[in-house]
Amino acid sequence: NAGVTQTPKFRVLKTGQSMTLLCAQDMNHEYMYWYRQDPGMGLRLIHYSVGEGTTAKGEVPDGYNVSRLKKQNFLLGLESAAPSQTSVYFCASSRHVGGETQYFGPGTRLLVL
Amino acid sequence: GDSVTQMEGPVTLSEEAFLTINCTYTATGYPSLFWYVQYPGEGLQLLLKATKADDKGSNKGFEATYRKETTSFHLEKGSVQVSDSAVYFCALRPNTGNQFYFGTGTSLTVIP
């Protein structure tokens, strides 16, 4: 049972390049989330999904797109990277039951030059 | 809207000192409350949780009590160790809705 995994662990992009971050979970969780973590700002929700084929915007969705084609995977895309997207990105998943916690991946560190 | 406010850091303590990290929340109804810990270079891990008023969550010597009357969920530990050095996040999950709300995190450093 690997829990939540993220690919890649670290990436350097040039401004304007695109990339996709992959999150996978093997706990059969219904909900999945993408956060970014920046110094002094804690975790901010980018997008989330409450089930396969559904996505919703979080607090800071601009510049990102997501897809949840399979229940176990949640993809985060950057179509045209900007230096402001330099951050650490965390994926998380949880059951839909109230009171249940989130389980986090190890994070992806992204540097946009 | 729903939100969490936690004590700003950084906090530096000597080994075996008493730790308190304050957390207050704003939410309607009875949310679930959580403390997460993040060690350097890692993702967040659940430390403890409480799902209803007056519940006490505990784990690894840490405790927090869900206080509805003061809308608080303060984290405490009686004797910290160097290995407790990490960033601690308070969070809530409303009893309806899909999102979690996190505080900004409190960095703790314990010196020998």
Side-chain angles (χ1 to χ4, degrees), chain A residues 20-67:
Chain A
T20 300
L21 283 66
L22 170 64
C23 175
Q25 53 94 5
D26 60 3
M27 296 173 282
N28 202 35
H29 286 170
E30 294 83 2
Y31 294 174
M32 296 186 75
Y33 309 79
W34 275 108
Y35 294 92
R36 59 178 289 173
Q37 184 180 33
D38 301 292
M41 303 196 72
L43 289 173
R44 293 185 291 170
L45 181 65
I46 304 172
H47 286 280
Y48 65 99
S49 168
V50 300
E52 184 178 321
T54 71
T55 63
K57 294 180 179 180
E59 180 186 354
V60 289
D62 294 342
Y64 305 95
N65 56 74
V66 288
S67 65

Side-chain angles (χ1 to χ4, degrees), chain B:
Chain B
D2 298 325
S3 67
V4 173
T5 302
Q6 69 179 95
M7 175 175 136
E8 291 199 15
V11 175
T12 302
L13 295 173
S14 297
E15 205 166 22
E16 299 184 0
F18 184 85
L19 168 71
T20 300
I21 301 177
N22 290 338
C23 172
T24 58
Y25 69 90
T26 300
T28 54
Y30 291 85
S32 297
L33 301 173
F34 306 84
W35 276 101
Y36 289 85
V37 58
Q38 184 181 31
Y39 299 104
E42 299 183 9
L44 279 69
Q45 305 172 25
L46 177 67
L47 180 59
L48 54 83
K49 71 174 187 180
T51 57
K52 59 183 187 293
D54 299 324
D55 265 4
K56 177 184 285 189
S58 62
N59 185 25
K60 299 181 181 180
F62 291 89
E63 293 183 341
T65 301
Y66 188 142
R67 302 283 189 201
K68 180 69 174 173
E69 64 275 13
T70 54
T71 61
S72 65
F73 193 55
H74 304 323
L75 182 68
E76 297 182 336
K77 186 174 186 183
S79 177
V80 293
Q81 306 300 312
V82 172
S83 56
D84 294 326
S85 297
V87 180
Y88 293 82
F89 291 89
C90 184
L92 74 82
R93 180 176 185 174
N95 55 4
T96 59
N98 310 313
Q99 297 188 36
F100 287 70
Y101 297 87
F102 287 83
T104 53
T106 302
S107 175
L108 169 67
T109 300
V110 180
I111 54 178

